[in-house]
Amino acid sequence: MFLLYRSRMPEAASAQAVRAGLGDSEFDRDTSLTRRAPGVYDTELSAGWTVISAVNGGYLLAVLGRALADALPHSDPFSVTAHYLTASRPGPAVVRTDVVRTGRSLSTGAASLFQYDDEGQEIERIRVLASYGDLDALPDDVRTTAVPPVFPPMDQCFGPQDAPAPAPGGSTITDRLMLKLDPATLGWALGTPSGKGEMRSWFGFADGRDPDPLSLLLAVDALPPTAFEMGVSGWVPTVELTVHVRCRPAPGPLRVSIATRNLAGGFLEEDAEVWDSADRLVAQSRQLASVRLG
């Protein structure tokens, strides 16, 4: 399915930066790519989006999402499913895309992200299958029983910068984000987890960048794991993540609500909803994660 290009560096004659719609924010710069050949992109995974030492899965999904937006005739992600095969690390990476089908309202594509090990062998890190369309062409009709999450105003919530000391191991992604967590889901940080698999937070970018469809792929995976509030500490790596983007978000901060109902056999699910400043449900996701007790 995927073209096999072994060179690590783009060919000067065919390389082209993928810059359409990019702004000056860190998120835009750190998800940018260079088109080496049709469907083949070079990128540099930034160390600024790591959790301890691993690159955040939502950031990685946004990198792949930007490549697919360039490769497909439609530019907005509608449904994106990713399987995380091995942990990604900061540094050079190659994204290869394949156009599976193009239609009038939806196009489907596949993408994989590759890196190289210390012996120069190529390793596939993530594989994605996605459907893209035009969010602005969707009808305005909304019939839903979903309601926005209720939690305190932003000035009554708390973020990483409010902690008395940095988290052990460090997570550089928190420096790039504006996260203000609902105090009701912060018991884990005080040593008194509630036992409920819930996490809620205001979400934005630290540099003030407004949300767009691509950033929603990051928002669903940017909060602390719900396992923390269930009294479980340790690494919770994503196995599979599916994101549904429902509409283009309005400017302003987002509200993210995540819940887990079942932790069993060393795995849990996380169901996320993302609401924009206009009280619209703009994205939903479900992920399966492995719970590694530490």
Side-chain angles (χ1 to χ4, degrees):
M1 178 183 296
F2 299 99
L3 302 175
L4 296 179
Y5 285 81
R6 301 294 300 179
S7 170
R8 301 193 194 187
M9 299 299 294
E11 298 177 12
S14 59
Q16 182 178 351
V18 178
R19 302 190 183 280
L22 290 184
D24 294 326
S25 77
E26 285 186 285
F27 177 73
D28 291 323
R29 293 195 301 270
D30 292 345
T31 57
S32 63
L33 308 109
T34 299
R35 190 187 306 116
R36 180 200 303 179
V40 183
Y41 304 84
D42 290 283
T43 190
E44 184 81 13
L45 299 182
S46 170
W49 301 87
T50 58
V51 178
I52 304 179
S53 60
V55 181
N56 172 261
Y59 161 71
L60 292 168
L61 198 56
V63 172
L64 287 155
R66 193 178 294 285
L68 284 166
D70 182 74
L72 294 171
H74 295 94
S75 60
D76 295 327
F78 274 32
S79 176
V80 182
T81 296
H83 287 266
Y84 293 79
L85 309 178
T86 57
S88 299
R89 60 190 183 189
V94 178
V95 177
R96 301 194 183 103
T97 64
D98 182 55
V99 178
V100 177
R101 178 187 178 275
T102 61
R104 184 173 301 176
S105 59
L106 285 176
S107 297
T108 300
S112 282
L113 184 143
F114 299 85
Q115 290 188 303
Y116 295 87
D117 63 18
D118 294 337
E119 285 74 42
Q121 298 298 310
E122 193 173 68
I123 301 173
E124 186 177 7
R125 303 293 196 192
I126 310 170
R127 185 173 295 191
V128 165
L129 185 66
S131 292
Y132 273 56
D134 181 0
L135 289 170
D136 296 327
L138 296 179
D140 294 331
D141 182 48
V142 176
R143 308 179 195 190
T144 183
T145 59
V147 294
V150 177
F151 52 93
M154 198 180 303
D155 61 2
Q156 297 177 28
C157 294
F158 300 92
Q161 69 279 8
D162 299 310
S171 296
T172 62
I173 188 173
T174 59
D175 296 331
R176 262 119 230 116
L177 299 177
M178 186 284 295
L179 293 177
K180 290 289 186 177
L181 279 79
D182 181 353
T185 66
L186 268 177
W188 58 274
L190 304 173
T192 56
S194 66
K196 299 177 181 179
E198 299 176 351
M199 200 68 63
R200 293 181 293 274
S201 182
W202 296 91
F203 173 92
F205 289 101
D207 60 13
R209 181 196 193 275
D210 276 322
D212 65 0
L214 195 68
S215 68
L216 298 177
L217 305 182
L218 167 68
V220 299
D221 193 45
L223 273 58
T226 54
F228 288 2
E229 194 61 0
M230 299 173 80
V232 177
S233 62
W235 192 29
V236 188
T238 303
V239 176
E240 182 268 342
L241 172 60
T242 295
V243 185
H244 295 161
V245 176
R246 307 307 302 269
C247 64
R248 193 176 304 280
L254 302 170
R255 284 162 293 167
V256 183
S257 176
I258 306 178
T260 293
R261 296 188 303 165
N262 191 51
L263 191 166
F267 292 87
L268 58 77
E269 89 288 344
E270 287 192 342
D271 291 314
E273 292 184 351
V274 183
W275 295 77
D276 72 359
S277 60
D279 276 348
R280 298 178 306 168
L281 180 60
V282 294
Q284 298 164 281
S285 75
R286 166 165 280 201
Q287 74 167 275
L288 180 70
S290 171
V291 179
R292 301 183 183 179
L293 300 179

